[in-house]
Amino acid sequence: MEQFADMIREYYSDPLGPLAKQFMFRRPPTVGELQRPPQVLLLGNHSSGKSTFVNYLLGIEVQKTGVAPTDDNFTIITYGPHETDRDGPSVVSNPDLPYEGLRHFGDQLVSHIRLKLQPAELLRSVTLIDSPGMIDEAKEENGRGFDFPGVVRWFAERADLVMVFFDPDKPGTTGETLQVFKESLNGIDHKLLIVLNKMDQCQNLHDFARAYGALCWNLGKVIPRKDLPMIYNTFVPLEGKQKSDLPMEDFEKARGDLIDALHRAPTRRMDNQITQMQSFAERLRLHAFVIDEAARRYRRSRMRSYAILAFLLPTLAAGALVTGLFAALPVLAVIAVVAVTLLEFVFLPRKRKRTIAQFDEIFEGLHDRELLVRDRAEDLRAMWEEVRPRAHEVAEKRGLQSFAKMSRLDRDVLNELIEDCIPKLRSQLYDALRDVSIDASSLSEVLLGVEDEPTVEELPPVLVAPAGWRLLRWGK
Ligand SMILES: Nc1nc2c(ncn2[C@@H]2O[C@H](COP(=O)(O)OP(=O)(O)O)[C@@H](O)[C@H]2O)c(=O)[nH]1
Ligand SMILES: [Mg+2]
């Protein structure tokens, strides 16, 4: 795992980091962000049982629980030899912690951040993040005083697993939940685990079917997929709670599966970091290639304009000298100054604007030429939609003239990284994980005489690459 982490860091430091800087793309993740511990984010309606689940996992009453929506903090629960609590300002201003980025969301948010250190074994391998319950009524914007979907997105992007809790009382994805699914969780559905919790509250099959059906119905509206994601129907056993008529074994098994998934978060992390790097590299490539091509076009037309001036003015001057019209020379000098001024301050800025407006067309052109694998057209178009606003912004603010030309070598290196190196890194990771899982099961092999090697299909779902990668690898 150390080696994989090193490779990832290396690719970011060269070529991704310098190219991102050259084209003013997003900042690549810092070393601190890459080294952060595996994280699991818990989201959900208030009183859907997130905090109770955290306490159950840790076997300690770390979080307050209750029916009223009292806890409106993001609580980061991580390992420490002694129980300690820290408040928001000290968390976001500590450069050793990977949470400095939260400062941008403002003081209101910072006052809603807590860090709890606990000596629980599980926390040695994962950090849990409990979140304020989402409120089902659509709330006015800024009802919380900070950008809630933005903060959720920030945490979700950095989490290796995101568990979204629902309960039979509120299986509806309306209001804030809807907003969070649309704005914060889009594009990261590979990390999502949907939990329908408090199943012990369902008295009978009818209650269960209603809750499950309502949840599916509502999820269908916010998850743009044909197939429904897996839903973990479960509950946390609590003292003195009313017993349901339903058989509880399946719900208990789902809880076990959920906990297993949580334990696998550390291996998921490396996989996620590779995915994150690939997504960074692909977006950077679109951003840089489009801006570079636009800058080339602009430079060409600037050269052409000056070439025309450089030809026209001396020719006219020579003509004036030959015909003895010396009085025309000062006029020509004035014309030259006016022409250059007009070119620099009127025509070329206009040309820059026009070239920036042609970004979409340039993108399509790239598409037809060297860069883009054909059968990923739709993927790439969606990616371009995402990248375009920033490309426009930096091109407008900085001006196309200021982007240094991208060398052939840089292009090749970036292409190779995306088409070759990153997919290879991922398959090496899978090979390594397969070896690890063989090691871990070798004892049972000996005891039970099981000799079959696990095939790729049998490996846990975390090992299945996202669709984009498979297309890239097999689609050619
Ligand atoms: N019956 C039942 N009650 C639960 C379960 N999980 C949590 N609760 C109760 O639901 C209430 C809200 O739980 P809490 O963990 O505070 O929810 P949170 O707002 O999502 O953190 C508390 O009174 C818990 O005792 C469960 O699995 N079954
Ligand atoms: Mg809570």
Side-chain angles (χ1 to χ4, degrees):
M1 287 302 140
E2 256 324 292
Q3 281 173 7
F4 285 107
D6 283 348
M7 285 303 284
I8 291 175
R9 235 171 290 150
E10 224 165 84
Y11 287 147
Y12 274 121
S13 72
D14 183 38
L16 295 174
L19 278 178
K21 200 165 169 206
Q22 182 182 339
F23 287 95
M24 301 181 77
F25 189 62
R26 292 197 307 255
R27 181 180 63 78
T30 60
V31 175
E33 278 162 3
L34 289 173
Q35 282 174 339
R36 60 162 180 73
Q39 298 190 126
V40 176
L41 173 65
L42 293 97
L43 294 174
N45 291 318
H46 84 85
S47 104
S48 53
K50 301 177 293 297
S51 305
T52 308
F53 187 70
V54 168
N55 293 346
Y56 172 82
L57 282 173
L58 301 180
I60 324 172
E61 290 288 310
V62 180
Q63 289 291 78
K64 276 207 194 94
T65 60
V67 192
T70 42
D71 185 4
D72 56 359
N73 292 327
F74 284 91
T75 311
I76 302 157
I77 306 160
T78 189
Y79 183 82
H82 311 290
E83 195 183 316
T84 322
D85 285 10
R86 302 223 184 110
D87 58 8
S90 70
V91 175
V92 299
S93 57
N94 186 340
D96 292 336
L97 296 173
Y99 304 108
E100 278 184 304
L102 284 168
R103 238 189 306 189
H104 302 299
F105 290 99
D107 291 344
Q108 275 289 343
L109 167 74
V110 173
S111 65
H112 285 94
I113 302 270
R114 295 276 172 286
L115 178 76
K116 294 188 177 176
L117 303 175
Q118 286 285 338
E121 226 17 68
L122 175 71
L123 297 176
R124 282 181 188 271
S125 50
V126 287
T127 290
L128 304 175
I129 299 164
D130 194 3
S131 64
M134 292 189 269
I135 299 159
D136 241 8
E137 287 89 56
K139 268 194 107 175
E140 282 303 303
E141 221 197 333
N142 277 335
R144 290 184 187 272
F146 60 86
D147 172 15
F148 182 74
V151 176
V152 170
R153 172 143 212 116
W154 193 93
F155 275 114
E157 276 172 353
R158 286 154 186 82
D160 299 291
L161 211 57
V162 180
M163 298 187 171
V164 190
F165 280 67
F166 295 92
D167 63 318
D169 292 335
K170 292 180 287 300
T173 43
T174 53
E176 212 163 43
T177 320
L178 182 88
Q179 196 185 7
V180 159
F181 264 100
K182 287 209 171 134
E183 294 176 24
S184 319
L185 302 178
N186 57 353
I188 54 165
D189 26 345
H190 59 287
K191 295 187 207 167
L192 282 190
L193 297 183
I194 308 282
V195 183
L196 183 51
N197 196 25
K198 293 180 151 184
M199 277 292 113
D200 58 328
Q201 277 190 347
C202 293
Q203 289 286 313
N204 49 40
L205 200 57
H206 178 81
D207 284 358
F208 169 73
R210 260 194 85 80
Y212 189 77
L215 178 59
C216 293
W217 173 268
N218 288 317
L219 284 179
K221 292 187 221 155
V222 289
I223 299 187
R225 284 178 17 177
K226 277 198 224 86
D227 52 334
L228 206 68
M230 156 96 182
I231 295 175
Y232 293 83
N233 302 297
T234 189
F235 68 101
V236 174
L238 294 169
E239 294 282 319
K241 288 280 172 188
Q242 184 177 9
K243 288 268 177 297
S244 147
D245 293 342
L246 290 171
M248 291 285 129
E249 295 79 37
D250 263 1
F251 301 148
E252 274 155 12
K253 181 175 175 302
R255 190 190 324 130
D257 293 346
L258 208 52
I259 295 172
D260 282 349
L262 208 127
H263 280 285
R264 282 201 303 269
T267 45
R268 257 188 121 112
R269 179 177 69 139
M270 204 45 74
D271 195 26
N272 285 341
Q273 286 195 349
I274 294 177
T275 308
Q276 193 189 350
M277 178 166 67
Q278 177 156 22
S279 129
F280 184 90
E282 291 202 55
R283 281 159 182 75
L284 168 64
R285 176 168 69 172
L286 289 185
H287 175 95
F289 280 18
V290 169
I291 291 184
D292 189 52
E293 174 60 27
R296 265 167 221 269
R297 286 187 185 187
Y298 168 71
R299 271 193 297 264
R300 264 202 305 272
S301 78
R302 184 185 150 105
M303 287 266 283
R304 228 177 292 138
S305 313
Y306 274 106
I308 291 171
L309 278 187
F311 171 75
L312 216 56
L313 289 171
T315 312
L316 288 176
L321 286 177
V322 170
T323 54
L325 264 175
F326 296 110
L329 286 179
V331 180
L332 272 180
V334 172
I335 290 178
V337 171
V338 171
V340 170
T341 314
L342 276 178
L343 200 60
E344 283 298 331
F345 293 98
V346 181
F347 295 117
L348 288 176
R350 227 184 261 166
K351 175 72 193 164
R352 284 203 288 270
K353 250 199 199 128
R354 243 179 296 144
T355 314
I356 293 173
Q358 286 168 352
F359 270 13
D360 281 344
E361 184 201 308
I362 293 176
F363 163 75
E364 294 294 338
L366 292 173
H367 206 263
D368 290 338
R369 287 206 329 262
E370 43 174 340
L371 124 94
L372 312 170
V373 186
R374 285 216 147 266
D375 52 7
R376 297 189 60 221
E378 281 315 304
D379 262 13
L380 288 163
R381 221 161 262 135
M383 214 180 275
W384 168 242
E385 291 291 318
E386 222 180 283
V387 174
R388 183 176 43 196
R390 176 146 189 113
H392 267 272
E393 194 189 321
V394 298
E396 265 158 21
K397 277 207 185 123
R398 221 175 100 170
L400 285 172
Q401 72 280 15
S402 57
F403 288 100
K405 216 188 240 167
M406 194 178 191
S407 69
R408 184 73 239 173
L409 181 70
D410 279 347
R411 283 171 171 259
D412 290 346
V413 166
L414 191 56
N415 280 333
E416 194 181 318
L417 185 75
I418 293 169
E419 317 291 351
D420 237 32
C421 305
I422 299 180
K424 225 176 255 161
L425 191 65
R426 194 193 298 276
S427 57
Q428 280 165 357
L429 174 72
Y430 292 173
D431 287 346
L433 290 179
R434 185 156 41 198
D435 291 344
V436 170
S437 64
I438 292 168
D439 279 354
S441 58
S442 58
L443 190 65
S444 66
E445 276 165 37
V446 174
L447 290 175
L448 304 169
V450 189
E451 279 169 19
D452 286 355
E453 260 197 28
T455 61
V456 177
E457 286 73 29
E458 286 164 9
L459 290 171
V462 41
L463 302 180
V464 177
W469 176 71
R470 243 176 288 140
L471 278 174
L472 195 73
R473 199 139 182 253
W474 312 120
K476 293 202 238 187

